[in-house]
Amino acid sequence: SIRFLEFVCKINMSKEFSKYNDKQLFESCRNNQISKDELFTELYTRYSQRIYAYCLRVLSTIEDAKDVFQESFISFYKSDKFNNLEFQNTSVFGYLLIITRNVCLNHKRTSVELVNIDDFLIGFNDSRYEEKELLKLISMALEFLDIQYREPFVLRQYEGLSYTEIAEIIGCNESTIRNRVWRAKDKIREILAPYIDDLNKQSKVNA
């Protein structure tokens, strides 16, 4: 599967399609101005890093994330929706997330960029730690969250999706998503409390 993705994404990489939006790319493909492999290559270039980051944050381990990432893009490439070029009114990234989410859930059944740091300063107002260190702690805390809390948190805080978009992807109502994101933040604060306390003590000692 790795070789498959590498092979497809080396096709016509010299051509520049970044000036076109997704809708224009699909229109060009429908008009036979570009091939489906060229279309896929550009979409892979645009969204692969974000999809992989989602996989890593939801699954936590690099090996599992890579497996799910590869399977997700292969499923997208083989999907009827992609092959029939049915993306006139559909978000490509949203569709990729739906595929990836399903693969993640299946994977978990058989074996959870930009975080708003201010959300986690509540209750830690006297803390003296670097943002980089806090990001590491948040990533660690994510591993302890159930998938129902981890997933909407990742989509909201890391991908910047709206609650409405997350609700459509996950298949819940918006109020449920808001509650799960709030619960995730609350759980993360609870998990991080002793670590933040240690950082504060170390900071005072070194002051």
Side-chain angles (χ1 to χ4, degrees):
S1 59
I2 298 177
R3 290 182 179 178
F4 171 83
L5 287 178
E6 289 177 346
F7 170 76
V8 171
C9 292
K10 284 180 181 178
I11 298 175
N12 296 310
M13 287 300 290
S14 61
K15 293 189 176 181
E16 179 59 58
F17 300 116
S18 60
K19 61 182 178 181
Y20 300 113
N21 60 36
D22 292 350
K23 186 175 181 180
Q24 290 170 330
L25 282 175
F26 276 94
E27 186 63 30
S28 296
C29 192
R30 282 190 288 270
N31 293 333
N32 297 315
Q33 295 173 328
I34 63 174
S35 69
K36 287 183 179 177
D37 285 339
E38 290 173 321
L39 172 62
F40 177 82
T41 297
E42 179 59 29
L43 295 175
Y44 180 89
T45 300
R46 292 183 184 187
Y47 300 119
S48 58
Q49 290 186 344
R50 292 177 68 186
I51 292 297
Y52 178 71
Y54 168 83
C55 293
L56 188 59
R57 286 161 184 152
V58 171
L59 296 169
S60 299
T61 68
I62 293 176
E63 289 186 2
D64 288 347
K66 285 183 177 179
D67 288 342
V68 168
F69 167 77
Q70 292 156 12
E71 185 178 345
S72 299
F73 267 96
I74 290 172
S75 296
F76 174 74
Y77 183 79
K78 294 180 177 179
S79 69
D80 290 338
K81 196 170 186 66
F82 174 76
N83 282 284
N84 294 330
L85 305 175
E86 298 173 349
F87 282 90
Q88 292 93 329
N89 300 307
T90 305
S91 165
V92 174
F93 181 65
Y95 184 68
L96 272 167
L97 273 177
I98 291 173
I99 289 177
T100 307
R101 176 178 184 266
N102 290 333
V103 177
C104 281
L105 292 176
N106 289 335
H107 183 85
K108 289 183 73 67
R109 288 191 191 103
T110 57
S111 45
V112 181
E113 181 141 279
L114 297 175
V115 172
N116 186 355
I117 298 300
D118 291 339
D119 287 338
F120 296 94
L121 295 182
I122 300 174
F124 304 132
N125 293 328
D126 295 329
S127 300
R128 300 178 183 178
Y129 46 83
E130 295 183 356
E131 181 174 311
K132 183 177 179 180
E133 186 65 24
L134 180 56
L135 287 172
K136 289 181 180 179
L137 291 175
I138 292 172
S139 295
M140 177 203 69
L142 282 174
E143 299 181 20
F144 294 93
L145 298 185
D146 292 338
I147 184 68
Q148 63 175 327
Y149 301 116
R150 187 191 304 194
E151 183 180 26
F153 175 85
V154 168
L155 291 174
R156 176 64 177 170
Q157 300 298 137
Y158 286 86
E159 297 299 338
L161 299 186
S162 68
Y163 291 110
T164 301
E165 290 172 322
I166 298 171
E168 291 176 354
I169 290 170
I170 293 180
C172 294
N173 60 56
E174 189 173 328
S175 61
T176 298
I177 296 301
R178 288 179 180 275
N179 181 61
R180 289 182 182 178
V181 172
W182 180 84
R183 289 284 301 278
K185 292 178 180 179
D186 194 50
K187 287 176 180 291
I188 289 173
R189 291 190 192 99
E190 181 180 345
I191 293 169
L192 294 186
Y195 296 95
I196 299 300
D197 186 54
D198 286 342
L199 286 175
N200 287 337
K201 290 178 181 178
Q202 292 175 13
S203 178
K204 290 178 181 179
V205 170
N206 296 329

